[in-house]
Amino acid sequence: MKKFVVVILIIMTCISMSGISAALTNTFKANEKTLDATHLTTIEKTYPSTMDQLKKSVYSYLNTDENPYCAQGEHIEKTVTAPWIQPTSTIFEWWIRLTYNGQSFEKQLDISINDFQQKFLKHPYYCEDAFFNIDNDPEDDIKVSFGFYWETILNIKTHSEYKSLEDMVRVRQINGGPSDIYAGLEVWSEIHINWGLVGESSQDVSFAPRNSQITNTQIISHSIKSCSVFLQLLKQKIRQTATLEFNLLHRLAGKTLNTPYSSTLQSQPLLDPEPLQTDNDYFAVGVGYRTLPGEKIPLYVEKRFAFAKENIFSPTIFQQVMKTEPSGVDPLELIYGFRSYDGSTNALKYDIAFSVEFNPFVTLTTQFIPLGGFIYYNFDSASQHSSETKITFSSDIHLGGGDGVSLSLVFDKIDSSMAQAGRWMSFGLRRDPHGFDYESSTIFNVAVIVDSPLFSQKVRINGLPQTLSYTWKIFDDFEVTFVQGELFYVNVRGYADVTMSSPMNEIIVYYPKLKDPNAADVPFLKVNNIPSSRKLEAQATLNIQNGSMLRIDADGYVDLTKSGQLGGITVYYPQANTDDPPVALMRVPAGSINSQRVSAEATLYVDVDNFSNINNYVYGKVQRQADSNFNEMDFYLPNIAIPMVQITDIPANAYATGTFWWNQLKGFGRAERSSSGGNPDPVHFNLVFDSLTLSDVFSIGDGHIQTDFRIADDGYFKFDTTHDVLGNMFSVGNAATGNSLSIGASTVSAQNFEANWGLNTTGPQPQIESLALTGSLNALNDFVVAIAIDGDVVDFTGDWSLGETGGFSIDVEQNADIRIDLIHLDNYSGRLDLNGYVILSNALHYDMSWKWKQGESLEDPGYFKINEGTNQPNLKEISFDFIYKDESGQDRWGADVTLTNFALYICVKWFWQGGFNIWPVIEVSGLLYLNVLLNYNWYQVWPQL
């Protein structure tokens, strides 16, 4: 191949718009090597796989026939209804009902009031049995043990104890159990109790140890205190006539509520104070569980449901406890209900229902505080489960005060650090904006997905701190629009705001919930290594238009404030098929800035059936507004693993953009930066699609650099800068066709500079026939230019510096001569005017240098030199005039040179010392005419007079 080195072409480096990040020493050693086609065609053509992947993804979107996402407010809150048997009751009733394989088996328990008070109420964990035969064989299949007693609820967070009533049900398979253990089973225990039956017993209850047995002596001693139904009713009527109850006096005395949120409760006015219960008021408690058809019926289940606060119209706290055998294997749903009635009217005054769903079941105690809607989860050693566990707690207050909630937690595991006695967590939910307040006994290194019907999307947290206040929202401008086969548009914007006691590992905010509840959730935003406080906003837009050409527009941004070191950020595309893996739109690797906004956009305009269509183009842009630099940002097309737009080492307040019409072999790149300090920072910008690349590496302090280019026989590059750009290396190419252009320089400073060339590509190796330079150029130092057409390469190197002191050099090696035209070149000052042309031999070195000044001594003269580095014949013809003007625009210094067919060495020096001194040293072989303008006066130097 031929080698061609021209300092002037380095100007093309300015065409690049993005990056000096590579070390200058490596970039500019390129002067020492020969570029050939092997350097530019080694990239394997990837078009079929890349385009096929993109087409698959795009048509997946375009084939959408319905919006898979729920609209804002479209998600339905879960309604929990307990399967009550009796809407009202007499003084005392107890029912147990089993539903198996679509059939119900119901029993009213034969328990006397005396036995209930003396055996059950006063002896925790005392129970009696009922037996059920629920299949076709003659033997009983299920034993139900039941109990109801006074207990205490301990809020382990506040260490507060509450006197409570607890309903216990144990269900055990016997005689081999039912014939079909996958037929589905619902067990429901329902007890209706007059408050007068339990109110009196609460004054002298004796708490027996857990699982203790009650002796006959205890039963006899308690039976002496028993009364008939008639006496109980009479006593209720008498008490009802009392004008003041103890509880009323208690309130008038100013006693406060003994709850973990007493300060919250006292700060809120009681707009509708709850009535105090009387002895003829009554309540109902229901406890049960269910397995759906297809789910295995457990061998053993124990359920306990308790409520605290003796005022049955305003319970303070509820507690649910559940154990089963086996544990951690099969799903299970627990059902609880509580109702209270006005005894004088039989009117329902308070009605709450609970559902706790496990998949699979693990041992867990839940507590619920109605006022504020706080949920507690208490763990113990039996809670441990090594794989994913989903727990959904739902409470629905149909009547009465308080806040019903529904919260679903999906743990990736419940490890040994969590599954310990005394370990707990609590959630208080917020509706708008979506959020929750979380507290726990300690830091849990587990991941959990938090979901609620109150929220329009889910959130996943990995590594729970001890306290966390978290809000997030998808804004109301969330939109999905589609015309099947023609258009798919989605826009989503949202934020996450966290304040916590310690850093957490990861947060994922999902797209709005899907209409199909069984579909996999689609992540929208993921943030890693989160400091103790942060607010982060993100946006993603995808617009696909399909016509004679396919157009894909994608854009997004990330805007954040934080404290401390920040991890990586990923914004994801929405998914047309939720079974597909998540597809990244934008990635920002870990950085160390406190606040920033980084945005990116990309466009692909392509004929999917003709990659060679001349209208095909790719466009990318990155912009960043911040108070400091950060490392990298990557922006992707759907389902393409290599980022389409990538920028690294990004200065604050900067942007970069580029466009490439790959079949017209033209495009542009531009970068800008606004910096108060103006210190150059390195930038690396890449625009990539399939075998197409546009890359720029440079350092920029303040201002801009723009490069326009065309790779062709009659191609060009242009560049424009506002200040010096350092270490610029620009390249663009199509590895599939072998067409490329690369330009590198250590310094670029130009205004509207343009280099046009003419190549002869008819031979086996392209030849440069002409090169024309126009515009304003101050510096193009240490440049390297390589042009490849169909894989064949022409390259040249050199150096250019214009000014009072400066010069340029050119090195060329090829088979044919080259003509370079210099057309009114000047520099920023406007005082330089250079015109003419140079016809260079096919192998040459040519240099010029000058120091336009009035020399003051022999050691410090002014000078003008040609070919100081060689005196070998290399010039066919040179003809130009070179003028340097003074401040008033008068011609002061200059030279008029014509050279033909010779080797040349010229060195003219001058200085003023007792008069004007000048001496030329000239070695020529050929014909030379040289006149010089020295301090306003022209002198003929050669031929000598």
Side-chain angles (χ1 to χ4, degrees), residues 381-403:
S381 58
S383 304
Q384 187 168 346
H385 189 241
S386 60
S387 59
E388 185 175 276
T389 304
K390 181 177 182 180
I391 304 171
T392 301
F393 180 96
S394 301
S395 65
D396 205 338
I397 301 177
H398 301 287
L399 183 63
D403 300 294

Side-chain angles (χ1 to χ4, degrees), residues 98 107 130-134 139-144 170-175 177-178 185 187 289 297-299:
L98 276 63
K107 290 184 179 181
F131 297 89
F132 292 83
N133 180 8
I134 59 176
E139 297 179 320
D140 290 329
D141 308 295
I142 300 292
K143 181 177 76 170
V144 179
R170 294 175 177 146
V171 182
R172 185 182 299 275
Q173 294 185 33
I174 59 175
N175 300 321
L185 175 67
V187 179
Y289 79 89
I297 299 172
L299 295 172

Side-chain angles (χ1 to χ4, degrees), residues 498 500 503 529-535 560-566 593-595:
V498 294
M500 50 199 170
N529 301 325
I530 303 156
S532 57
S533 64
R534 145 173 305 196
K535 182 174 183 180
L560 66 92
T561 58
K562 71 178 184 66
S563 63
Q565 184 77 13
L566 169 66
I593 58 176
N594 287 326
S595 62

Side-chain angles (χ1 to χ4, degrees), residues 113-133:
I113 291 177
N114 181 68
D115 285 348
F116 175 69
Q117 287 186 310
Q118 304 308 321
K119 294 181 180 180
F120 287 87
L121 279 177
K122 297 185 179 182
H123 301 283
Y125 301 97
Y126 172 80
C127 60
E128 295 187 6
D129 302 326
F131 297 89
F132 292 83
N133 180 8

Side-chain angles (χ1 to χ4, degrees), residues 616-658:
N616 295 345
Y617 74 87
V618 61
Y619 159 82
K621 178 180 178 181
V622 176
Q623 186 166 356
R624 134 115 213 274
Q625 298 172 347
D627 54 10
S628 61
N629 298 358
F630 79 99
N631 295 331
E632 181 179 340
M633 199 285 301
D634 302 321
F635 196 81
Y636 299 82
L637 283 176
N639 205 33
I640 304 301
I642 299 174
M644 178 179 178
V645 181
Q646 181 185 65
I647 187 167
T648 60
D649 299 314
I650 312 167
N653 302 317
Y655 93 89
T657 183

